[in-house]
Amino acid sequence: MIETIRDYARIDPALAGEGGIAANVIDAMAQTRRHLFVPKNRASLAYADRPLPIGHGQTISQPYIVALMTHLVRLPENATVLEIGTGSGYQAAILARIASKVCTIEIIPELGERARATLKGLGYDNVDIRIGDGYQGWPECGPFDAVVVTAALGHVPPKLVEQLKEEGRLVMPVGSPSGIQRLTVIEKSAAGKTTTREAGRVRFVPFTRSGD
Ligand code: SAH
């Protein structure tokens, strides 16, 4: 799995940059046992570079995309990170190996509770999981050095950008929730100005709203 991630990053240096995926991200991926985050009957596929169903119509993301998104937010030392879309808890676990604190929101209660149990069982004590709609972010947990959104929407929720620190980064699939999305990276400058760029095409499950 780790080799595949390195190969992808080499094939498309425009996405991850010339140096490929950062070493701390590769280390976090290598140290995290993905089979513990997927249903038992899928465990044999856990190290293939593909998304897998986790129940409730949701998926655990493809490992390469988890690595790329973690790389793109370039976490500084002692980072506080917000994730929207906890799902299995796998992306949160990768972030938690690099950051000081991860706050993650999941809209499907059963998934949020299962992820909470998985992460607790593995001894992660720097991940806070909230059950609810992540559209408004989590200001009490922030401000954030990075925001990682793992569900697709046609626009970036403004509050998520608001809760980013200066020099913080947000990564999110933006586009049609039923099609292909642009993996979008927003950087906030020291002056609070934002710049946006695209880092390839991806396919994520929809970002739903509590009223849906
Ligand atoms: N990061 C996850 C991937 C989960 S797929 C992992 O590593 O396994 C995306 C998740 O986003 C799904 O679990 C879905 O229920 C959740 N989601 C969708 N809309 C949401 C919203 N508005 N707020 C919080 N979570 C949401």
Side-chain angles (χ1 to χ4, degrees):
M1 184 183 98
I2 298 296
E3 273 318 304
T4 311
I5 292 171
R6 285 210 176 97
D7 287 348
Y8 271 132
R10 257 182 235 123
I11 296 165
D12 208 345
L15 299 187
E18 283 303 329
I21 303 283
N24 62 344
V25 177
I26 294 285
D27 288 348
M29 300 287 299
Q31 287 160 6
T32 308
R33 291 172 296 166
R34 189 169 180 260
H35 72 273
L36 301 174
F37 293 84
V38 305
K40 283 202 174 59
N41 62 347
R42 307 272 179 185
S44 62
L45 291 170
Y47 298 95
D49 191 45
R50 50 173 281 194
L52 291 170
I54 53 170
H56 303 273
Q58 307 305 320
T59 55
I60 177 172
S61 309
Q62 175 190 351
Y64 170 63
I65 299 298
V66 172
L68 180 62
M69 289 174 87
T70 311
H71 170 80
L72 288 170
V73 291
R74 290 180 200 279
L75 298 177
E77 297 256 311
N78 302 318
T80 301
V81 185
L82 174 67
E83 180 197 27
I84 309 298
T86 316
S88 67
Y90 178 69
Q91 169 79 76
I94 300 291
L95 291 165
R97 284 190 178 272
I98 304 171
S100 292
K101 179 164 99 168
V102 178
C103 307
T104 177
I105 308 180
E106 171 56 52
I107 202 165
I108 300 178
E110 293 84 353
L111 289 180
E113 274 147 27
R114 197 199 298 157
R116 199 178 269 151
T118 305
L119 291 167
K120 189 161 178 254
L122 292 172
Y124 288 87
D125 57 7
N126 59 341
V127 182
D128 274 352
I129 301 184
R130 175 192 264 190
I131 311 263
D133 180 354
Y135 188 84
Q136 307 292 352
W138 190 346
E140 307 78 29
C141 229
F144 303 101
D145 297 283
V147 176
V148 175
V149 183
T150 66
L153 192 65
H155 64 277
V156 178
K159 295 276 183 203
L160 301 186
V161 180
E162 234 169 70
Q163 289 164 33
L164 262 187
K165 286 185 194 167
E166 289 177 1
E167 303 196 357
R169 294 185 180 81
L170 172 149
V171 62
M172 169 172 180
V174 179
S176 161
S178 57
I180 303 277
Q181 304 99 31
R182 299 176 301 282
L183 192 59
T184 300
V185 183
I186 295 185
E187 297 194 25
K188 197 183 251 191
S189 74
K193 250 188 81 199
T194 57
T195 52
T196 304
R197 69 186 174 91
E198 185 190 318
R201 301 285 162 130
V202 287
R203 188 190 287 270
F204 273 82
V205 296
F207 191 114
T208 53
R209 303 299 318 279
S210 23
D212 286 352

